[in-house]
Amino acid sequence: MTHAMLKGSNIPLEAATVRAVLRWAAEQEVPDVDASALLLGPDGRVRSDEDFVFYNQPRHPSGKVWRLGKKRLAEGLTDTVQADLAGVESEVGRILLVASADGVAFDRVRELRILLYDADAAGDEPLAYFDIRPETGSETALICGELYRRGEGWKFRALGEGYSNGLKGLATDFGISVDESEPEEGPEAVGEPAAPENSRPLPPEQPAGVPAQGGPAYGFPQAADSAAPTAPVQPVHGHPGPGPAYGYPQPAAGGASGYGYPPAAARVPDAEFRMPPQGPQFIGR
């Protein structure tokens, strides 16, 4: 026989493994609903973050509580949590069955119901169901019900208690450590390292470690960014200005002639200087 439950009522459970199914109407602009579970210790709080079974951690390390995933049925959409009550650790006294709507209020979710099944029994008749009606409509997370120990057995209680600060607020209340930093758009959001600030990427198809194209070839240093050549910078207060491009020496401090060469008086022949041998292009011409 199926029990139609009211808020606050409870029933004993003889099933060793139960399946808790959240179901809601599949309509346009209805937010997606997620089912999750929190395993609570003797103090009414989780023993560690591993006691939180949800979409990012779909199976408890003990293997006794897990999510089965979502389905689309004729009656609506479902998301399901299953618990092997016979194998749950003795330190766990309660298992909360939770629905969350990812920041959207539950007043937009129609026909929300939790159905409890004996997972080992044949047939589709549930042990019990509870129609959940948010009290204010602004709730973004709901404790739909709880599985709890009573003596040597287990019971199920219909709750329908709401939270307006979502799954994060609910989980924090029961001892889950929640990372307060929000993910940002960009490389970090998809697991890629961010580029250093003010960095310039290489051109497409250019392997890393190869200088970007656009400067002089064959290892000569790049010229200035401006498109047109500029007049050489004159020394200021006896300090030489920036040196000319392509490795030519800087002008002496006493003044400069055009294009960065030193004045004639300063050009003294080097006794060791020798002209390089003439190449074949000069012979016989």
Side-chain angles (χ1 to χ4, degrees), residues 11-35:
I11 60 169
L13 297 174
E14 297 180 359
T17 304
V18 296
R19 186 167 65 251
V21 180
L22 276 176
R23 192 179 74 196
W24 63 98
E27 299 176 347
Q28 281 191 328
E29 299 183 359
V30 171
D32 194 25
V33 177
D34 293 299

Side-chain angles (χ1 to χ4, degrees), residues 76-266:
L77 300 173
T78 67
D79 198 5
T80 303
V81 172
Q82 187 157 308
D84 176 6
L85 298 179
V88 171
E89 300 146 294
S90 58
E91 296 87 356
V92 176
R94 298 162 61 199
I95 301 174
L96 302 184
L97 303 172
V98 175
S100 59
D102 194 22
V104 181
F106 269 97
D107 61 356
R108 294 174 54 189
V109 180
R110 294 184 59 250
E111 301 177 18
L112 182 64
R113 172 179 286 188
I114 185 168
L115 303 102
L116 204 65
Y117 294 85
D118 182 345
D120 298 325
D124 296 329
E125 184 178 3
L127 301 173
Y129 70 86
F130 170 46
D131 290 326
I132 306 160
R133 296 179 177 87
E135 293 182 353
T136 67
S138 63
E139 296 90 342
T140 53
L142 292 164
I143 303 176
C144 303
E146 65 175 354
L147 304 165
Y148 63 100
R149 292 186 188 271
R150 184 60 74 225
E152 297 298 321
W154 288 82
K155 286 188 170 185
F156 171 72
R157 178 183 288 121
L159 291 176
E161 298 176 358
Y163 283 72
S164 61
N165 52 354
L167 187 60
K168 180 186 291 187
L170 188 154
T172 302
D173 269 5
F174 289 95
I176 296 293
S177 301
V178 178
D179 184 4
E180 296 295 336
S181 61
E182 295 293 336
E184 299 178 358
E185 295 183 358
E188 295 88 350
V190 293
E192 297 179 3
E197 188 176 358
N198 299 326
S199 65
R200 296 182 180 179
L202 292 174
E205 306 297 331
Q206 183 128 350
V210 178
Q213 297 180 2
Y218 308 111
F220 289 103
Q222 294 186 354
D225 289 339
S226 57
T230 58
V233 179
Q234 299 296 329
V236 179
H237 301 298
H239 294 283
Y246 307 110
Y248 288 106
Q250 295 186 359
S257 61
Y259 305 105
Y261 288 101

Side-chain angles (χ1 to χ4, degrees), residues 50-85:
E50 293 181 337
D51 283 342
F52 187 19
V53 177
F54 68 120
Y55 43 82
N56 281 344
Q57 187 170 269
R59 192 175 188 89
H60 190 264
S62 68
K64 303 304 179 182
V65 181
W66 65 98
R67 297 178 77 245
L68 291 178
K70 298 184 179 182
K71 291 184 179 179
R72 180 181 290 273
L73 306 177
E75 300 86 353
L77 300 173
T78 67
D79 198 5
T80 303
V81 172
Q82 187 157 308
D84 176 6
L85 298 179

